[in-house]
Amino acid sequence: MRYVMAIDQGTTSSRAILFDESMAIKTIAQEEFPQHYPASGWVEHDPSDIWSTVVATCRAAIEKAGINATDIAAIGITNQRETTLIWDKVTGEPLHNAIVWQDRRTADYCAEMVAAGHEETITRKTGLLFDPYFSSTKLKWILDKVSGSRERAARGELLFGTVDTYIIWRLTAGVVHATDATNACRTMLYDIEKGAWSSTICDLFDIPMEMLPDVRNSADDFGVTRPDLFGCEIPILGVAGDQQAATVGQACFLPGMMKSTYGTGCFALLNTGDTPIRSNNRLLTTVAYQLDGKRTYALEGSIFIAGAVVQWLRDGLKIIREAPETQALAEAADPTQSVVMVPAFTGLGAPYWKPDCRGAIFGLTRNSGPAELARAALESVGFQTRDLLEAMRADSPGELKGVLRVDGGMSASDWTMQFLSDIIGAPVDRPEVKETTALGAAWLAGMKAGIYPDQQEFAKNWALDARFEPNMSEEDRAQKYALWHRAVQATMAV
């Protein structure tokens, strides 16, 4: 039996998942790591935590499976996107903590650049909006703030990478400094139509292009691991940012197919084929995947807070001990109350893009309690998803297939998925394999290694676990969505 190991490096934990030759999960190992909040709206990770948890979980997955590393045909990597690292080219020493995708420290700079008229160039070349979410302004911030870093970067002593690049560099002992097109396109430095780093944008931010990694296909040769890590060299053959990996794992290979992943945030992607569709509704145009030099594009809507709102109920308010408790609370909530939560803890993402916005709760009464707050938290995810789908429909009329494929931790909640179906007025399909992000990375690597099937066969094997059909009346749907919009407008007005 041959295996493929998926490294799934996320925002709050690292995981390693072993898939067998039939793409069934053999073992999973997971390890959380600390989040650092040095100032309001700032989020950082210690790079040593990212690296140590990746190695530890890989070793644990191999040990739990009772196999040898020689049984692993390939490694696929999927990762939190946009999170930014700079390190010494020789020693590997990080210049600064990793600045996480959620971080908003460059919001003022972004606003200044938009006011100066630079967003049109950014959007035309990268498909993105001028927002702190993306890597480039985080990279610029580190170069500006860390003494001597610009001089060192100009001398070619420093390397930049998103998390995938950093892991690859460490796994290969510094031999390979590379990324794939799905991660490159999230940096706000990459021309998505030319398929190359943009010298125009790098000059705008004063970023030496020598720092940037080589950009490869999502299924490609990314080198081999150091033999001392796992006992032998293992080829790294697949890389994709987490949301694109989930798109692949959901087999959304045809234009019009869409998926939504519910992890820390929520990210909906609509496959638009080989033509990038430019959004008129503040969605992002992005690379869904790149195979054999051919890019497939997508429209993406990004919500910063999805599963993170449940973490807040647990860690902030302490009204639950474990995430699954929210379903029972939501079911017990008073149906006569209309509590609406806008979880803009780190600003509002698409289609609003208000980085300075902060969270708010509306409709509280004397009788509002944990149950009503839990219901409002779960409903906020459905409302935000509808915002994204409405924008996608406006940008690509007739393109949407009408069924939303879902994955991620929150998709396990039947209550949440039923409300999602109700509020968007469309079927929601949950697959048998919940680990679609890891599966996507594993398929890319396994397909490249020759042990997994091609796209067409892989898509045929996609299996449904549950379909949620809308059963809310159109009147109730419209009323609830109108309350949500009023709450969002009031939140943005503060």
Side-chain angles (χ1 to χ4, degrees):
M1 179 71 75
R2 301 281 278 161
Y3 298 88
V4 174
M5 184 159 64
I7 295 172
D8 183 355
Q9 204 299 301
T11 308
T12 58
S13 70
S14 297
R15 301 191 307 159
I17 302 179
L18 277 171
F19 292 86
D20 65 19
E21 290 176 356
S22 63
M23 290 183 282
I25 292 173
K26 176 75 171 177
T27 56
I28 300 177
Q30 181 170 354
E31 190 173 328
E32 292 190 4
F33 57 87
Q35 309 292 299
H36 301 280
Y37 307 101
S40 177
W42 294 26
V43 190
E44 295 181 357
H45 292 156
D46 184 334
S48 66
D49 289 335
I50 293 174
W51 172 241
S52 64
T53 54
V54 165
V55 174
T57 52
C58 287
R59 289 172 174 167
I62 294 169
E63 184 178 347
K64 285 169 68 176
I67 66 170
N68 295 316
T70 52
D71 297 323
I72 300 174
I75 288 175
I77 297 173
T78 183
N79 55 285
Q80 52 168 316
R81 306 170 304 171
E82 299 95 17
T83 295
T84 300
L85 299 98
I86 302 178
W87 62 94
D88 186 284
K89 187 176 184 178
V90 176
T91 67
E93 186 68 26
L95 204 66
H96 189 274
N97 270 352
I99 301 182
V100 180
W101 59 272
Q102 297 163 309
D103 190 280
R104 315 304 287 168
R105 74 187 64 188
T106 62
D108 289 345
Y109 171 74
C110 289
E112 291 169 8
M113 296 297 278
V114 170
H118 293 295
E119 187 167 56
E120 191 276 332
T121 298
I122 293 292
T123 301
R124 176 167 44 83
K125 288 183 176 292
T126 71
L128 308 178
L129 299 172
F130 216 124
D131 191 84
Y133 178 22
F134 307 107
S135 309
S136 57
T137 61
K138 305 178 196 297
L139 168 54
K140 173 180 164 50
W141 187 93
I142 296 174
L143 292 177
D144 286 344
K145 299 298 181 181
V146 177
S147 178
S149 59
R150 284 206 172 276
E151 292 77 11
R152 294 183 64 196
R155 293 196 298 267
E157 297 174 7
L158 301 177
L159 298 177
F160 155 76
T162 44
V163 169
D164 60 305
T165 303
Y166 179 68
I167 293 172
I168 292 165
W169 193 88
R170 294 293 301 263
L171 287 173
T172 63
V175 173
V176 178
H177 181 225
T179 188
D180 90 302
T182 70
N183 280 293
C185 75
R186 310 300 296 187
T187 61
M188 209 165 79
L189 297 169
Y190 187 72
D191 189 315
I192 60 172
E193 291 200 50
K194 292 182 179 178
W197 298 115
S198 169
S199 59
T200 301
I201 299 175
C202 288
D203 288 346
L204 180 66
F205 295 127
D206 193 17
I207 293 172
M209 296 186 73
E210 293 77 14
M211 298 180 70
L212 307 181
D214 181 39
V215 182
R216 302 181 184 179
N217 295 304
S218 303
D220 214 326
D221 179 4
F222 291 89
V224 296
T225 63
R226 289 165 26 199
D228 61 302
L229 285 175
F230 310 120
C232 70
E233 293 181 343
I234 305 174
I236 305 166
L237 298 179
V239 175
D242 52 12
Q243 304 314 316
Q244 286 95 333
T247 304
V248 170
Q250 289 277 34
C252 290
F253 294 133
L254 299 176
M257 295 185 73
M258 58 181 174
K259 73 89 200 176
S260 190
T261 298
Y262 298 94
T264 301
C266 162
F267 303 86
L269 268 77
L270 170 69
N271 186 322
T272 63
D274 57 9
T275 304
I277 293 179
R278 302 297 179 173
S279 175
N280 294 314
N281 294 278
R282 299 187 67 75
L283 296 176
L284 308 176
T285 306
T286 197
V287 177
Y289 49 87
Q290 179 175 307
L291 299 174
D292 299 322
K294 181 182 177 183
R295 286 177 296 283
T296 296
Y297 296 95
L299 278 175
E300 177 177 331
S302 308
I303 298 167
F304 300 143
I305 301 294
V309 74
V310 176
Q311 289 178 322
W312 176 68
L313 296 179
R314 182 192 67 186
D315 303 334
L317 296 187
K318 302 186 187 304
I319 62 175
I320 59 170
R321 288 173 296 177
E322 295 180 346
E325 295 174 25
T326 54
Q327 176 156 323
L329 282 172
E331 290 170 346
D334 180 358
T336 66
Q337 294 190 46
S338 299
V339 178
V340 178
M341 181 184 296
V342 182
F345 302 148
T346 55
L348 282 171
Y352 306 104
W353 296 106
K354 296 290 184 181
D356 296 327
C357 213
R358 291 298 177 261
I361 302 172
F362 298 87
L364 292 174
T365 72
R366 180 65 181 82
N367 293 325
S368 300
E372 287 70 36
L373 289 177
R375 183 183 64 188
L378 298 182
E379 287 182 343
S380 73
V381 176
F383 288 132
Q384 292 179 98
T385 303
R386 178 165 170 180
D387 285 342
L388 300 182
L389 300 188
E390 294 289 344
M392 286 179 177
R393 287 191 182 96
D395 279 331
S396 53
E399 286 293 318
L400 275 69
K401 298 298 186 190
V403 176
L404 178 64
R405 290 186 172 181
V406 296
D407 55 80
M410 291 189 82
S411 70
S413 167
D414 287 357
W415 192 95
T416 307
M417 293 302 99
Q418 183 58 56
F419 180 78
L420 174 62
S421 175
D422 286 339
I423 204 65
I424 67 173
V428 169
D429 283 358
R430 184 173 65 198
E432 280 188 359
V433 179
K434 308 297 190 298
E435 302 291 350
T436 52
T437 302
L439 176 62
W443 176 76
L444 288 167
M447 183 266 295
K448 181 69 176 176
I451 66 171
Y452 286 167
D454 62 16
Q455 271 180 271
Q456 193 171 4
E457 283 301 310
F458 177 64
K460 285 181 183 178
N461 292 331
W462 187 93
L464 179 70
D465 167 58
R467 168 167 282 193
F468 300 87
E469 299 274 6
N471 59 21
M472 182 181 289
S473 71
E474 186 57 47
E475 183 182 0
D476 285 349
R477 182 181 301 122
Q479 186 178 43
K480 286 180 177 291
Y481 194 51
L483 281 174
W484 163 256
H485 263 293
R486 284 174 56 192
V488 170
Q489 293 303 318
T491 302
M492 292 194 298
V494 174

